[in-house]
Amino acid sequence: MMKGINLARLKQCMLRAETGGELTIGFLGGSITQGSLATQHENTYAYRVFSWWQKEFPDAEFHYVNGGIGGTTSHFGVSRAVTDVLMYQPDVVVVDFSVNDEADAFFQETYEGVIRRLLSWKSKPAVILLNNVFYDTGKNAQEYHNAVGDWYHIPHVSMKDTLYQKMKAGMYTREELTRDGLHPNDKGHELVAAEISAFLAQVKECCHENEEEMTLPEPLTANAYEHARRLTIREISPELDGFRADTEEKTGHLDFFKNGWIGRKAGDKILFEIPASCIAVQYRKTVAKPALRARLTLDGDAENAKILDGNFEEDWGDCLYLEPVLHHGENKMHIVELEIMEDKEEASPFYLLSLIIA
């Protein structure tokens, strides 16, 4: 068992489960959490961990919430934590952004925003950090993420420290675990779940040992993102000049490219006025090339305009891309304007999904 972690919330969940309680087990993360490359959802690590709770506590009633969205970082995660997981009042939440976040201070701050948002939620969920890994390189962001976890005395389960090391030692080949070097296949998902379940089994062994819950400490980072908000067509009504609002009905959190704003030709514009000190723009990068590009100006500063390129250089599908525009800026009313740059014959339109502000 890890030193310095606090298991009070997790033990309380297990004690409630032992006595036939009703609990909700949630997951928040990227494509591995969503279940990419598993042949069916029941084979994913998330559902297998959920099934561990059902098997170990047969008298309890469990509910499952999966807030995984492929290709997304903790920057997006903090803005959607409520709508995708927390509104269901979870008792346990497993968090994994370790292969989508970069290993740097910016993502450490957005990740801390996720963790503080979860820990301070009314249902007081027990939080477990999961660190997945690139199996070809051993790369992930766990150094930065685990520093946050240690600050809050939260347990973390690392595939870099366990499954990846077993693969390097020759227990498994890379092909046995993953087809693309990142996303586990069915066996890979099973082994990821086994590492998490082994940790949970250790906690179960000592769940009757009393432990005081710790109070929330002061933030480790500047923590500008804890209360980040996502502004979609439901929350903000920008000034449209050529862009149009997408009226297609959205059917769920995985039905991404609906209810956004669409630019189809050169000169189409959209303008937002928003009070914030941190701003990011979320748009579609598409494999359907060529795609239109947009020029973004903040507060009329044309010299430092950003180019938002709708062309996606990878091939796994369209991406919910998040472009930071302002980080720790002046907290005031800002003007964000996008303009389509050029016409291309039969080009994919520019699709703007949201602004994320803090």
Side-chain angles (χ1 to χ4, degrees):
M1 194 68 74
M2 288 167 262
K3 292 182 179 178
I5 63 171
N6 186 272
L7 297 171
R9 289 189 181 185
L10 200 50
K11 288 178 177 179
Q12 289 162 14
C13 288
M14 291 183 177
L15 291 174
R16 282 173 46 213
E18 275 189 348
T19 55
E22 191 170 354
L23 291 91
T24 297
I25 313 297
F27 299 83
L28 180 64
S31 55
I32 298 174
T33 295
Q34 184 184 328
S36 182
L37 297 195
T39 56
Q40 57 186 24
H41 195 78
E42 288 74 17
N43 293 336
T44 63
Y45 92 80
Y47 200 85
R48 287 177 181 276
V49 170
F50 171 70
S51 299
W52 178 91
W53 285 89
Q54 292 180 307
K55 178 172 172 272
E56 293 295 320
F57 302 100
D59 294 332
E61 182 178 350
F62 291 101
H63 306 281
Y64 174 71
V65 176
N66 189 309
I69 296 180
T72 64
T73 65
S74 63
H75 188 187
F76 183 23
V78 66
S79 74
R80 65 183 183 86
V82 173
T83 54
D84 290 353
V85 176
L86 287 175
M87 72 179 191
Y88 302 106
Q89 305 287 23
D91 299 283
V92 178
V93 180
V94 178
V95 184
D96 175 35
F97 291 106
S98 57
V99 290
N100 288 346
D101 280 4
E102 293 296 325
D104 61 28
F106 174 79
F107 284 108
Q108 184 175 55
E109 183 174 349
T110 59
Y111 188 77
E112 182 175 33
V114 173
I115 300 309
R116 288 184 69 88
R117 198 150 203 175
L118 296 176
L119 291 174
S120 57
W121 195 248
K122 290 178 181 178
S123 62
K124 293 189 174 182
V127 177
I128 301 168
L129 311 188
L130 171 62
N131 302 312
N132 275 300
V133 68
F134 286 90
Y135 288 92
D136 290 332
T137 62
K139 179 187 171 189
N140 69 8
Q142 74 175 42
E143 179 185 352
Y144 286 85
H145 287 183
N146 287 353
V148 173
D150 292 343
W151 186 257
Y152 293 95
H153 303 279
I154 298 171
H156 33 83
V157 179
S158 167
M159 294 309 110
K160 182 174 182 176
D161 297 343
T162 56
L163 193 53
Y164 176 70
Q165 298 303 326
K166 292 174 183 177
M167 181 196 75
K168 285 177 66 180
M171 287 180 65
Y172 307 106
T173 64
R174 174 221 194 244
E175 289 68 28
E176 281 183 276
L177 304 177
T178 171
R179 191 171 73 213
D180 61 5
L182 173 60
H183 301 94
N185 55 25
D186 284 351
K187 181 174 181 176
H189 273 284
E190 182 179 7
L191 292 169
V192 171
E195 296 292 345
I196 301 169
S197 300
F199 163 71
L200 292 172
Q202 284 185 290
V203 179
K204 188 185 177 196
E205 295 253 325
C206 65
C207 70
H208 290 274
E209 297 173 11
N210 192 40
E211 190 166 349
E212 286 292 317
E213 185 177 328
M214 298 185 66
T215 55
L216 199 66
E218 290 298 307
L220 175 66
T221 70
N223 191 45
Y225 292 89
E226 180 180 350
H227 301 291
R229 295 168 54 219
R230 186 176 188 230
L231 304 179
T232 70
I233 198 171
R234 289 172 172 78
E235 291 81 29
I236 192 167
S237 185
E239 185 179 314
L240 303 181
D241 181 8
F243 268 77
R244 73 168 183 85
D246 181 8
T247 58
E248 287 291 311
E249 185 177 358
K250 187 177 172 71
T251 59
H253 85 286
L254 295 178
D255 193 15
F256 313 127
F257 303 111
K258 302 279 180 68
N259 293 165
W261 299 277
I262 302 171
R264 296 190 181 278
K265 64 184 187 303
D268 284 357
K269 296 180 183 179
I270 184 169
L271 184 145
F272 298 84
E273 292 186 51
I274 40 177
S277 62
C278 302
I279 303 170
V281 174
Q282 188 179 50
Y283 66 100
R284 179 178 67 187
K285 280 185 176 287
T286 182
V287 295
K289 303 172 189 173
L292 294 177
R293 300 183 302 158
R295 180 183 292 106
L296 182 150
T297 56
L298 176 66
D299 298 328
D301 183 6
E303 285 187 16
N304 293 300
K306 285 181 176 282
I307 306 303
L308 309 182
D309 189 346
N311 296 282
F312 194 32
E313 296 310 317
E314 298 191 42
D315 59 5
W316 50 261
D318 290 357
C319 172
L320 291 156
Y321 192 77
L322 193 55
E323 177 76 33
V325 175
L326 183 67
H327 176 58
H328 295 169
E330 187 180 349
N331 191 5
K332 66 174 187 177
M333 190 68 74
H334 293 280
I335 295 175
V336 176
E337 185 174 26
L338 277 71
E339 181 178 359
I340 302 301
M341 292 176 62
E342 72 279 280
D343 276 315
K344 292 180 182 176
E345 288 187 17
E346 298 182 2
S348 296
F350 186 89
Y351 199 99
L352 178 65
L353 288 116
S354 73
L355 270 62
I356 292 176
I357 66 168

